[in-house]
Amino acid sequence: MKLETVLAFHPHSKPFWEAAESGRLLLPLCGDCGKSHWYPRPFCPHCHGFGLTWKDAAGEGTIYASTLMRRAKEPYIVAAVELDEGPVMLTNIVTPDFSQAGIGARVKVGFDYIGGSDRKLPVFHPI
Ligand SMILES: [Zn+2]
């Protein structure tokens, strides 16, 4: 999906995509309850507040769940990564050694044009 299409439906996510292009992972932060969340929404899913800002995430987390997509032309790993800030992000784990992508493994964010994307997407690499 092209970025302009994403922004047509989710204009509130624009700061995230701009930061991703420069290799920064931003998380929405609620000024009302102080919690971060993922994915970007127009309001906070914890308290329904609208006082959202953005903050830089540390970019590290722990694999909560993962699966290897073996039947793909080029096998890849899909994982739920629990960021150190708390939110869980559905993402890809990029590694030549699939054994490093098990539950509990520590990972660090990187940004890559994967799957024919016209924009950089956050992916994670084992630390
Ligand atoms: Zn909130």
Side-chain angles (χ1 to χ4, degrees), residues 12-92:
H12 51 275
S13 68
K14 187 174 183 183
F16 169 81
W17 294 113
E18 289 174 345
E21 281 300 314
S22 62
R24 292 169 49 223
L25 180 63
L26 290 186
L27 286 176
L29 175 66
C30 178
D32 296 328
C33 72
K35 294 180 180 175
S36 293
H37 61 270
W38 180 255
Y39 52 90
R41 288 166 248 208
F43 60 89
C44 173
H46 303 291
C47 73
H48 303 152
F50 289 93
L52 299 176
T53 59
W54 294 89
K55 77 168 190 179
D56 281 284
E60 293 188 8
T62 304
I63 295 177
Y64 178 81
S66 67
T67 188
L68 174 60
M69 308 304 284
R70 295 177 194 278
R71 293 192 173 200
K73 185 175 180 182
E74 198 172 311
Y76 62 96
I77 296 168
V78 175
V81 169
E82 184 174 14
L83 300 173
D84 289 349
E85 291 82 1
V88 175
M89 179 180 279
L90 188 64
T91 184
N92 290 79

